[in-house]
Amino acid sequence: MTVKINNETVSLPEGLTTLGETLRWKGVPDGGTAVALNGRLVPRSRWDATALDQNDDIVVISAAFGG
């Protein structure tokens, strides 16, 4: 399956079917991260229950700390 992650087209390995699995595969941290799927925010509690479809558009935003 092919999806977009932050405007980069990515071919997912066989067996990755949920948003949570995909984010772990890409090394996205749980904390300090917001994720939108096709323009809609997905709460962290729903990542593992959110199925992906061909050509889905995932946007990952990570908090940056500093001063």
mmCIF file of all heavy atoms in Angstrom, residues 5-46:
data_model
loop_
_atom_site.group_PDB
_atom_site.id
_atom_site.type_symbol
_atom_site.label_atom_id
_atom_site.label_comp_id
_atom_site.label_asym_id
_atom_site.label_seq_id
_atom_site.Cartn_x
_atom_site.Cartn_y
_atom_site.Cartn_z
ATOM 1 N N ILE A 5 3.294 10.544 3.761
ATOM 2 C CA ILE A 5 3.609 10.965 5.117
ATOM 3 C C ILE A 5 4.391 12.268 5.004
ATOM 4 O O ILE A 5 5.496 12.282 4.452
ATOM 5 C CB ILE A 5 4.417 9.898 5.879
ATOM 6 C CG1 ILE A 5 3.641 8.576 5.932
ATOM 7 C CG2 ILE A 5 4.770 10.390 7.283
ATOM 8 C CD1 ILE A 5 4.395 7.423 6.573
ATOM 9 N N ASN A 6 3.798 13.347 5.482
ATOM 10 C CA ASN A 6 4.395 14.685 5.373
ATOM 11 C C ASN A 6 4.859 14.966 3.947
ATOM 12 O O ASN A 6 5.999 15.361 3.713
ATOM 13 C CB ASN A 6 5.515 14.871 6.388
ATOM 14 C CG ASN A 6 5.002 14.966 7.805
ATOM 15 O OD1 ASN A 6 3.805 14.997 8.052
ATOM 16 N ND2 ASN A 6 5.914 15.000 8.756
ATOM 17 N N ASN A 7 3.961 14.742 3.003
ATOM 18 C CA ASN A 7 4.169 15.013 1.571
ATOM 19 C C ASN A 7 5.185 14.110 0.892
ATOM 20 O O ASN A 7 5.589 14.386 -0.228
ATOM 21 C CB ASN A 7 4.528 16.485 1.332
ATOM 22 C CG ASN A 7 3.371 17.400 1.628
ATOM 23 O OD1 ASN A 7 2.220 17.095 1.304
ATOM 24 N ND2 ASN A 7 3.658 18.519 2.261
ATOM 25 N N GLU A 8 5.613 13.043 1.546
ATOM 26 C CA GLU A 8 6.522 12.063 0.947
ATOM 27 C C GLU A 8 5.741 10.784 0.683
ATOM 28 O O GLU A 8 5.138 10.216 1.595
ATOM 29 C CB GLU A 8 7.688 11.766 1.892
ATOM 30 C CG GLU A 8 8.621 10.702 1.383
ATOM 31 C CD GLU A 8 9.677 10.307 2.410
ATOM 32 O OE1 GLU A 8 9.863 11.026 3.408
ATOM 33 O OE2 GLU A 8 10.295 9.254 2.205
ATOM 34 N N THR A 9 5.741 10.318 -0.562
ATOM 35 C CA THR A 9 5.064 9.071 -0.900
ATOM 36 C C THR A 9 5.887 7.904 -0.382
ATOM 37 O O THR A 9 7.085 7.819 -0.631
ATOM 38 C CB THR A 9 4.864 8.958 -2.420
ATOM 39 O OG1 THR A 9 4.085 10.078 -2.860
ATOM 40 C CG2 THR A 9 4.149 7.670 -2.785
ATOM 41 N N VAL A 10 5.219 7.015 0.373
ATOM 42 C CA VAL A 10 5.887 5.906 1.038
ATOM 43 C C VAL A 10 5.140 4.612 0.718
ATOM 44 O O VAL A 10 3.909 4.564 0.813
ATOM 45 C CB VAL A 10 5.889 6.124 2.577
ATOM 46 C CG1 VAL A 10 6.507 4.948 3.294
ATOM 47 C CG2 VAL A 10 6.596 7.411 2.936
ATOM 48 N N SER A 11 5.885 3.569 0.345
ATOM 49 C CA SER A 11 5.308 2.240 0.172
ATOM 50 C C SER A 11 5.447 1.493 1.486
ATOM 51 O O SER A 11 6.565 1.278 1.963
ATOM 52 C CB SER A 11 6.031 1.474 -0.939
ATOM 53 O OG SER A 11 5.788 2.071 -2.179
ATOM 54 N N LEU A 12 4.328 1.121 2.079
ATOM 55 C CA LEU A 12 4.357 0.443 3.373
ATOM 56 C C LEU A 12 4.694 -1.036 3.196
ATOM 57 O O LEU A 12 4.253 -1.665 2.236
ATOM 58 C CB LEU A 12 2.996 0.566 4.058
ATOM 59 C CG LEU A 12 2.515 1.978 4.359
ATOM 60 C CD1 LEU A 12 1.157 1.923 5.043
ATOM 61 C CD2 LEU A 12 3.516 2.732 5.201
ATOM 62 N N PRO A 13 5.463 -1.586 4.140
ATOM 63 C CA PRO A 13 5.749 -3.018 4.095
ATOM 64 C C PRO A 13 4.453 -3.823 4.246
ATOM 65 O O PRO A 13 3.483 -3.360 4.859
ATOM 66 C CB PRO A 13 6.656 -3.249 5.303
ATOM 67 C CG PRO A 13 7.202 -1.919 5.654
ATOM 68 C CD PRO A 13 6.158 -0.920 5.240
ATOM 69 N N GLU A 14 4.462 -5.011 3.699
ATOM 70 C CA GLU A 14 3.330 -5.932 3.822
ATOM 71 C C GLU A 14 2.943 -6.084 5.284
ATOM 72 O O GLU A 14 3.800 -6.224 6.149
ATOM 73 C CB GLU A 14 3.733 -7.296 3.255
ATOM 74 C CG GLU A 14 2.632 -8.289 3.187
ATOM 75 C CD GLU A 14 1.784 -8.144 1.944
ATOM 76 O OE1 GLU A 14 2.257 -7.538 0.967
ATOM 77 O OE2 GLU A 14 0.656 -8.645 1.965
ATOM 78 N N GLY A 15 1.666 -6.006 5.579
ATOM 79 C CA GLY A 15 1.190 -6.240 6.929
ATOM 80 C C GLY A 15 0.937 -4.992 7.755
ATOM 81 O O GLY A 15 0.269 -5.062 8.780
ATOM 82 N N LEU A 16 1.468 -3.851 7.342
ATOM 83 C CA LEU A 16 1.174 -2.611 8.068
ATOM 84 C C LEU A 16 -0.189 -2.118 7.595
ATOM 85 O O LEU A 16 -0.364 -1.791 6.427
ATOM 86 C CB LEU A 16 2.226 -1.532 7.806
ATOM 87 C CG LEU A 16 3.596 -1.721 8.421
ATOM 88 C CD1 LEU A 16 4.452 -0.486 8.188
ATOM 89 C CD2 LEU A 16 3.530 -2.030 9.888
ATOM 90 N N THR A 17 -1.139 -2.087 8.521
ATOM 91 C CA THR A 17 -2.496 -1.721 8.129
ATOM 92 C C THR A 17 -3.092 -0.600 8.961
ATOM 93 O O THR A 17 -4.129 -0.066 8.590
ATOM 94 C CB THR A 17 -3.436 -2.936 8.228
ATOM 95 O OG1 THR A 17 -3.450 -3.398 9.584
ATOM 96 C CG2 THR A 17 -2.992 -4.054 7.295
ATOM 97 N N THR A 18 -2.459 -0.252 10.083
ATOM 98 C CA THR A 18 -3.027 0.798 10.928
ATOM 99 C C THR A 18 -2.092 1.996 11.014
ATOM 100 O O THR A 18 -0.886 1.896 10.757
ATOM 101 C CB THR A 18 -3.317 0.302 12.359
ATOM 102 O OG1 THR A 18 -2.082 0.071 13.033
ATOM 103 C CG2 THR A 18 -4.191 -0.942 12.356
ATOM 104 N N LEU A 19 -2.664 3.098 11.424
ATOM 105 C CA LEU A 19 -1.891 4.316 11.620
ATOM 106 C C LEU A 19 -0.817 4.098 12.681
ATOM 107 O O LEU A 19 0.343 4.479 12.493
ATOM 108 C CB LEU A 19 -2.829 5.459 12.009
ATOM 109 C CG LEU A 19 -2.207 6.822 12.228
ATOM 110 C CD1 LEU A 19 -1.510 7.321 10.969
ATOM 111 C CD2 LEU A 19 -3.269 7.813 12.681
ATOM 112 N N GLY A 20 -1.178 3.468 13.790
ATOM 113 C CA GLY A 20 -0.220 3.220 14.872
ATOM 114 C C GLY A 20 0.965 2.387 14.427
ATOM 115 O O GLY A 20 2.115 2.718 14.739
ATOM 116 N N GLU A 21 0.712 1.307 13.700
ATOM 117 C CA GLU A 21 1.799 0.453 13.196
ATOM 118 C C GLU A 21 2.724 1.242 12.280
ATOM 119 O O GLU A 21 3.950 1.122 12.356
ATOM 120 C CB GLU A 21 1.225 -0.736 12.418
ATOM 121 C CG GLU A 21 0.473 -1.735 13.245
ATOM 122 C CD GLU A 21 -0.305 -2.728 12.410
ATOM 123 O OE1 GLU A 21 -0.610 -2.448 11.226
ATOM 124 O OE2 GLU A 21 -0.622 -3.793 12.958
ATOM 125 N N THR A 22 2.132 2.047 11.429
ATOM 126 C CA THR A 22 2.915 2.827 10.473
ATOM 127 C C THR A 22 3.770 3.870 11.175
ATOM 128 O O THR A 22 4.949 4.046 10.834
ATOM 129 C CB THR A 22 1.970 3.489 9.447
ATOM 130 O OG1 THR A 22 1.250 2.453 8.772
ATOM 131 C CG2 THR A 22 2.738 4.322 8.446
ATOM 132 N N LEU A 23 3.208 4.539 12.169
ATOM 133 C CA LEU A 23 3.978 5.548 12.895
ATOM 134 C C LEU A 23 5.128 4.915 13.661
ATOM 135 O O LEU A 23 6.242 5.460 13.687
ATOM 136 C CB LEU A 23 3.065 6.323 13.838
ATOM 137 C CG LEU A 23 1.989 7.174 13.142
ATOM 138 C CD1 LEU A 23 1.038 7.763 14.164
ATOM 139 C CD2 LEU A 23 2.602 8.237 12.257
ATOM 140 N N ARG A 24 4.917 3.746 14.261
ATOM 141 C CA ARG A 24 6.021 3.041 14.945
ATOM 142 C C ARG A 24 7.089 2.626 13.940
ATOM 143 O O ARG A 24 8.287 2.754 14.205
ATOM 144 C CB ARG A 24 5.488 1.838 15.725
ATOM 145 C CG ARG A 24 4.801 2.237 17.024
ATOM 146 C CD ARG A 24 4.469 1.045 17.889
ATOM 147 N NE ARG A 24 3.421 0.215 17.326
ATOM 148 C CZ ARG A 24 2.110 0.474 17.408
ATOM 149 N NH1 ARG A 24 1.693 1.567 18.040
ATOM 150 N NH2 ARG A 24 1.230 -0.339 16.884
ATOM 151 N N TRP A 25 6.683 2.136 12.786
ATOM 152 C CA TRP A 25 7.617 1.730 11.734
ATOM 153 C C TRP A 25 8.493 2.912 11.302
ATOM 154 O O TRP A 25 9.687 2.756 11.061
ATOM 155 C CB TRP A 25 6.829 1.167 10.553
ATOM 156 C CG TRP A 25 7.626 0.890 9.330
ATOM 157 C CD1 TRP A 25 8.563 -0.093 9.155
ATOM 158 C CD2 TRP A 25 7.561 1.598 8.090
ATOM 159 N NE1 TRP A 25 9.077 -0.038 7.874
ATOM 160 C CE2 TRP A 25 8.476 1.003 7.201
ATOM 161 C CE3 TRP A 25 6.803 2.676 7.648
ATOM 162 C CZ2 TRP A 25 8.661 1.435 5.898
ATOM 163 C CZ3 TRP A 25 6.986 3.113 6.347
ATOM 164 C CH2 TRP A 25 7.917 2.500 5.492
ATOM 165 N N LYS A 26 7.896 4.109 11.250
ATOM 166 C CA LYS A 26 8.644 5.306 10.868
ATOM 167 C C LYS A 26 9.409 5.926 12.034
ATOM 168 O O LYS A 26 10.126 6.896 11.860
ATOM 169 C CB LYS A 26 7.691 6.363 10.280
ATOM 170 C CG LYS A 26 7.134 6.012 8.918
ATOM 171 C CD LYS A 26 8.203 5.928 7.849
ATOM 172 C CE LYS A 26 8.680 7.289 7.431
ATOM 173 N NZ LYS A 26 9.706 7.251 6.373
ATOM 174 N N GLY A 27 9.252 5.375 13.257
ATOM 175 C CA GLY A 27 9.990 5.882 14.402
ATOM 176 C C GLY A 27 9.417 7.147 15.008
ATOM 177 O O GLY A 27 10.134 7.903 15.679
ATOM 178 N N VAL A 28 8.140 7.389 14.797
ATOM 179 C CA VAL A 28 7.488 8.585 15.330
ATOM 180 C C VAL A 28 7.242 8.382 16.826
ATOM 181 O O VAL A 28 6.639 7.388 17.223
ATOM 182 C CB VAL A 28 6.153 8.849 14.598
ATOM 183 C CG1 VAL A 28 5.397 9.999 15.236
ATOM 184 C CG2 VAL A 28 6.411 9.122 13.121
ATOM 185 N N PRO A 29 7.698 9.309 17.670
ATOM 186 C CA PRO A 29 7.485 9.171 19.117
ATOM 187 C C PRO A 29 6.022 9.378 19.491
ATOM 188 O O PRO A 29 5.297 10.128 18.829
ATOM 189 C CB PRO A 29 8.360 10.274 19.722
ATOM 190 C CG PRO A 29 8.490 11.293 18.639
ATOM 191 C CD PRO A 29 8.428 10.526 17.335
ATOM 192 N N ASP A 30 5.600 8.700 20.562
ATOM 193 C CA ASP A 30 4.227 8.839 21.050
ATOM 194 C C ASP A 30 3.976 10.215 21.645
ATOM 195 O O ASP A 30 2.951 10.837 21.403
ATOM 196 C CB ASP A 30 3.928 7.798 22.137
ATOM 197 C CG ASP A 30 3.800 6.399 21.577
ATOM 198 O OD1 ASP A 30 3.681 6.243 20.355
ATOM 199 O OD2 ASP A 30 3.816 5.457 22.389
ATOM 200 N N GLY A 31 4.914 10.682 22.448
ATOM 201 C CA GLY A 31 4.746 11.940 23.165
ATOM 202 C C GLY A 31 5.080 13.142 22.316
ATOM 203 O O GLY A 31 5.995 13.110 21.495
ATOM 204 N N GLY A 32 4.343 14.216 22.507
ATOM 205 C CA GLY A 32 4.642 15.467 21.824
ATOM 206 C C GLY A 32 4.382 15.428 20.333
ATOM 207 O O GLY A 32 4.967 16.201 19.584
ATOM 208 N N THR A 33 3.492 14.529 19.900
ATOM 209 C CA THR A 33 3.232 14.362 18.480
ATOM 210 C C THR A 33 1.739 14.459 18.200
ATOM 211 O O THR A 33 0.931 13.845 18.891
ATOM 212 C CB THR A 33 3.742 12.990 17.993
ATOM 213 O OG1 THR A 33 5.139 12.889 18.266
ATOM 214 C CG2 THR A 33 3.536 12.806 16.505
ATOM 215 N N ALA A 34 1.391 15.223 17.185
ATOM 216 C CA ALA A 34 0.010 15.293 16.702
ATOM 217 C C ALA A 34 -0.011 14.694 15.301
ATOM 218 O O ALA A 34 0.936 14.860 14.525
ATOM 219 C CB ALA A 34 -0.475 16.729 16.663
ATOM 220 N N VAL A 35 -1.089 13.974 14.998
ATOM 221 C CA VAL A 35 -1.183 13.309 13.699
ATOM 222 C C VAL A 35 -2.553 13.595 13.089
ATOM 223 O O VAL A 35 -3.583 13.484 13.763
ATOM 224 C CB VAL A 35 -0.984 11.784 13.835
ATOM 225 C CG1 VAL A 35 -1.155 11.097 12.490
ATOM 226 C CG2 VAL A 35 0.393 11.481 14.404
ATOM 227 N N ALA A 36 -2.534 13.951 11.804
ATOM 228 C CA ALA A 36 -3.774 14.128 11.052
ATOM 229 C C ALA A 36 -3.790 13.112 9.913
ATOM 230 O O ALA A 36 -2.761 12.837 9.293
ATOM 231 C CB ALA A 36 -3.873 15.535 10.489
ATOM 232 N N LEU A 37 -4.948 12.554 9.666
ATOM 233 C CA LEU A 37 -5.143 11.613 8.567
ATOM 234 C C LEU A 37 -6.187 12.206 7.640
ATOM 235 O O LEU A 37 -7.333 12.449 8.059
ATOM 236 C CB LEU A 37 -5.598 10.256 9.107
ATOM 237 C CG LEU A 37 -5.908 9.178 8.083
ATOM 238 C CD1 LEU A 37 -4.657 8.830 7.266
ATOM 239 C CD2 LEU A 37 -6.465 7.935 8.756
ATOM 240 N N ASN A 38 -5.791 12.475 6.416
ATOM 241 C CA ASN A 38 -6.679 13.084 5.429
ATOM 242 C C ASN A 38 -7.346 14.357 5.959
ATOM 243 O O ASN A 38 -8.539 14.584 5.780
ATOM 244 C CB ASN A 38 -7.726 12.067 4.966
ATOM 245 C CG ASN A 38 -7.077 10.865 4.314
ATOM 246 O OD1 ASN A 38 -6.095 10.986 3.590
ATOM 247 N ND2 ASN A 38 -7.600 9.686 4.596
ATOM 248 N N GLY A 39 -6.534 15.169 6.649
ATOM 249 C CA GLY A 39 -7.000 16.457 7.119
ATOM 250 C C GLY A 39 -7.759 16.459 8.434
ATOM 251 O O GLY A 39 -8.234 17.502 8.863
ATOM 252 N N ARG A 40 -7.857 15.288 9.080
ATOM 253 C CA ARG A 40 -8.581 15.211 10.362
ATOM 254 C C ARG A 40 -7.651 14.719 11.451
ATOM 255 O O ARG A 40 -6.979 13.696 11.289
ATOM 256 C CB ARG A 40 -9.763 14.260 10.237
ATOM 257 C CG ARG A 40 -10.760 14.739 9.177
ATOM 258 C CD ARG A 40 -11.972 13.930 9.211
ATOM 259 N NE ARG A 40 -12.699 14.305 10.430
ATOM 260 C CZ ARG A 40 -13.981 14.130 10.589
ATOM 261 N NH1 ARG A 40 -14.698 13.594 9.638
ATOM 262 N NH2 ARG A 40 -14.560 14.493 11.717
ATOM 263 N N LEU A 41 -7.623 15.436 12.560
ATOM 264 C CA LEU A 41 -6.792 15.064 13.694
ATOM 265 C C LEU A 41 -7.225 13.705 14.240
ATOM 266 O O LEU A 41 -8.418 13.449 14.398
ATOM 267 C CB LEU A 41 -6.909 16.125 14.790
ATOM 268 C CG LEU A 41 -6.005 15.951 15.997
ATOM 269 C CD1 LEU A 41 -4.544 16.089 15.590
ATOM 270 C CD2 LEU A 41 -6.353 16.972 17.058
ATOM 271 N N VAL A 42 -6.237 12.841 14.512
ATOM 272 C CA VAL A 42 -6.517 11.528 15.097
ATOM 273 C C VAL A 42 -5.922 11.514 16.501
ATOM 274 O O VAL A 42 -4.708 11.632 16.663
ATOM 275 C CB VAL A 42 -5.887 10.389 14.253
ATOM 276 C CG1 VAL A 42 -6.185 9.038 14.881
ATOM 277 C CG2 VAL A 42 -6.385 10.442 12.814
ATOM 278 N N PRO A 43 -6.764 11.372 17.531
ATOM 279 C CA PRO A 43 -6.243 11.315 18.902
ATOM 280 C C PRO A 43 -5.308 10.123 19.089
ATOM 281 O O PRO A 43 -5.504 9.067 18.468
ATOM 282 C CB PRO A 43 -7.497 11.142 19.762
ATOM 283 C CG PRO A 43 -8.644 11.490 18.891
ATOM 284 C CD PRO A 43 -8.214 11.248 17.481
ATOM 285 N N ARG A 44 -4.300 10.293 19.911
ATOM 286 C CA ARG A 44 -3.328 9.223 20.184
ATOM 287 C C ARG A 44 -4.034 7.924 20.561
ATOM 288 O O ARG A 44 -3.620 6.842 20.155
ATOM 289 C CB ARG A 44 -2.376 9.675 21.307
ATOM 290 C CG ARG A 44 -1.491 8.602 21.884
ATOM 291 C CD ARG A 44 -0.463 8.139 20.843
ATOM 292 N NE ARG A 44 0.266 6.992 21.303
ATOM 293 C CZ ARG A 44 -0.021 5.729 20.981
ATOM 294 N NH1 ARG A 44 -1.045 5.444 20.216
ATOM 295 N NH2 ARG A 44 0.725 4.743 21.414
ATOM 296 N N SER A 45 -5.112 8.005 21.311
ATOM 297 C CA SER A 45 -5.836 6.815 21.750
ATOM 298 C C SER A 45 -6.469 6.035 20.598
ATOM 299 O O SER A 45 -6.849 4.882 20.764
ATOM 300 C CB SER A 45 -6.924 7.200 22.753
ATOM 301 O OG SER A 45 -7.870 8.064 22.144
ATOM 302 N N ARG A 46 -6.557 6.640 19.406
ATOM 303 C CA ARG A 46 -7.175 5.985 18.242
ATOM 304 C C ARG A 46 -6.167 5.540 17.183
ATOM 305 O O ARG A 46 -6.559 4.957 16.172
ATOM 306 C CB ARG A 46 -8.195 6.937 17.597
ATOM 307 C CG ARG A 46 -9.311 7.387 18.499
ATOM 308 C CD ARG A 46 -10.343 6.320 18.793
ATOM 309 N NE ARG A 46 -10.830 5.757 17.545
ATOM 310 C CZ ARG A 46 -11.281 4.512 17.430
ATOM 311 N NH1 ARG A 46 -11.332 3.718 18.450
ATOM 312 N NH2 ARG A 46 -11.706 4.070 16.266
#
